[in-house]
Amino acid sequence: MFTSAIILAAGSGRRMGFDKMTARLCGKAVILYSIERFVESDADEIIIAASEDNTDKIRELVSENIHTDKPIKIITGGATRFESAVKAVRQTSCECDVVSVHDGARPFVTAKTADKVALEAFRHGAALAAVRAKDTVKICNDGVVTATPDRSGLWLAQTPQAARKADYLAAAEKLDVNDARITDDASVMELYGIKPFIVEGSYDNIKLTTKEDIAMAEYIIGKTGAPKLCVGHGYDVHRLVEGRKLILCGVEVPNKDNLGLLGHSDADVAVHALMDAMLGAAALGDIGRHFPDSDSRYKGISSMKLLEHVRKLLDGKNAHVTNADITIVAEKPKLAKFIPDMQRSIAAALGLDTDDVNVKATTEEGLGIAEDGIAAHAVCMVEKIG
Ligand SMILES: Nc1ccn([C@@H]2O[C@H](COP(=O)(O)OP(=O)(O)OP(=O)(O)O)[C@@H](O)[C@H]2O)c(=O)n1
Ligand SMILES: C[C@](O)(CO)[C@H](O)COP(=O)(O)O
């Protein structure tokens, strides 16, 4: 069974008041929670329907945070949820048997529920995650109750909602995208004549619709494992010699004395200190252990490449840097005018805002090690989830 997961992120967030897909929830963009669960699931590919306004940001979030061989495609959604879903289904692989549509606004789906819904859709034609109604439900007209349906048969629909691709497309052909009865994918299948199978979901699989839902989502994250904050510190020194490039925080610093730092890699002492701080916070050792100078693969390598690798090591532990502060200790050359570029370079490498990265330079008043070399200290905060 080939399953295509579709994550809907093309809504306008009108009731929330801002784009909820790219907003951060405990430090992580909302859309990333669902993408990670579908990467973990048995789905064979992921199609994200984004809006014209959030496509670039979502593309950036995916490329910086999601490391998988699973194909991920980002398409432009439509004016309604149904239209976005249909556009995405049309972009699935020709091998696809089952399409499983999920609201990007439901960050707490689990891979297990996603797999169960897809499997039951393959067996029964359509399936959805849902929970039993806990409250008594009233049907009203003109402000007065006209009926109280039997609660034992009432379920609250969640996502994912899945169907066989061929049936979903055939149903879409027959239906009007603006049909007010279509509030979810299960109703598409019902109107087509297929009875969706219910997979009992979790009350935690809430949809972020209004601002109050954010507080609930933070509570759920706390319940399932509050993010733990860990601090890390790194320190490094390299000797200054003639005839090498001087690279600091990934930025080349030209200088009249033609001085650069000596080392097995490009000897970017500031990035080395930062990597040690990150590895320290995540209890992953130090750069000597991960990139030994006896290994020829690292000869002359850009330390920014090593930083990319360290970031992936942290991702593997569900750990993300939330801010970094680097102090470069150098008597020469003067570094002030290069600092904004250094901050931008580190922020881009770590997927942070430039406001979350600080680089500063100081001397040792001619009293210390910085006479013949450059040293760097770095501290960073790392948030570990789960
Ligand atoms: N044209 C649309 C409308 C909605 N959605 C997606 O469908 C899901 C459920 O929609 P909802 O919670 O209503 O999101 P919004 O449409 O963004 O919210 P609002 O109705 O308040 O504008 C969300 O993941 C949303 O991004 C979509 O992909 N395309
Ligand atoms: C699909 C859904 O999440 C099931 O509960 C819901 O119907 C989406 O509704 P919205 O009007 O797009 O918020």
Side-chain angles (χ1 to χ4, degrees), residues 7-21 49-50 54 77-85 102-106 207-209:
I7 302 180
L8 298 178
S12 55
R14 187 182 42 80
R15 286 170 288 177
M16 187 62 82
F18 51 83
D19 179 38
K20 52 196 185 192
M21 295 300 132
N54 66 18
T80 62
R81 184 186 181 283
F82 181 36
E83 197 181 333
S84 295
H102 180 66
D103 295 332
R106 292 186 187 270
K207 181 158 75 71
L208 305 183
T209 306

Side-chain angles (χ1 to χ4, degrees), residues 5-137:
I6 288 166
I7 302 180
L8 298 178
S12 55
R14 187 182 42 80
R15 286 170 288 177
M16 187 62 82
F18 51 83
D19 179 38
K20 52 196 185 192
M21 295 300 132
T22 54
R24 285 181 184 251
L25 188 59
C26 291
K28 182 155 83 171
V30 167
I31 184 83
L32 291 176
Y33 287 84
S34 306
I35 301 173
E36 285 173 359
R37 297 295 80 77
F38 280 95
V39 165
E40 226 175 273
S41 79
D42 293 337
D44 299 281
E45 64 172 355
I46 298 173
I47 317 280
I48 302 166
S51 69
E52 272 168 16
D53 292 340
N54 66 18
T55 300
D56 290 347
K57 184 70 191 165
I58 291 180
R59 199 178 296 288
E60 184 186 317
L61 284 166
V62 170
S63 85
E64 286 175 359
N65 298 284
I66 306 291
H67 308 292
T68 176
D69 293 335
K70 212 171 258 195
I72 299 185
K73 207 188 271 181
I74 300 173
I75 63 140
T76 306
T80 62
R81 184 186 181 283
F82 181 36
E83 197 181 333
S84 295
V86 173
K87 284 180 93 174
V89 171
R90 292 201 173 115
Q91 295 291 322
T92 56
S93 151
C94 54
E95 292 171 79
C96 167
D97 300 303
V98 168
V99 288
S100 179
V101 184
H102 180 66
D103 295 332
R106 292 186 187 270
F108 306 121
V109 61
T110 63
K112 199 168 152 200
T113 298
D115 290 338
K116 197 139 193 259
V117 168
L119 185 65
E120 297 301 354
F122 189 62
R123 286 186 180 139
H124 301 270
L128 73 151
V131 285
R132 289 173 194 279
K134 288 186 193 175
D135 297 325
T136 297
V137 176

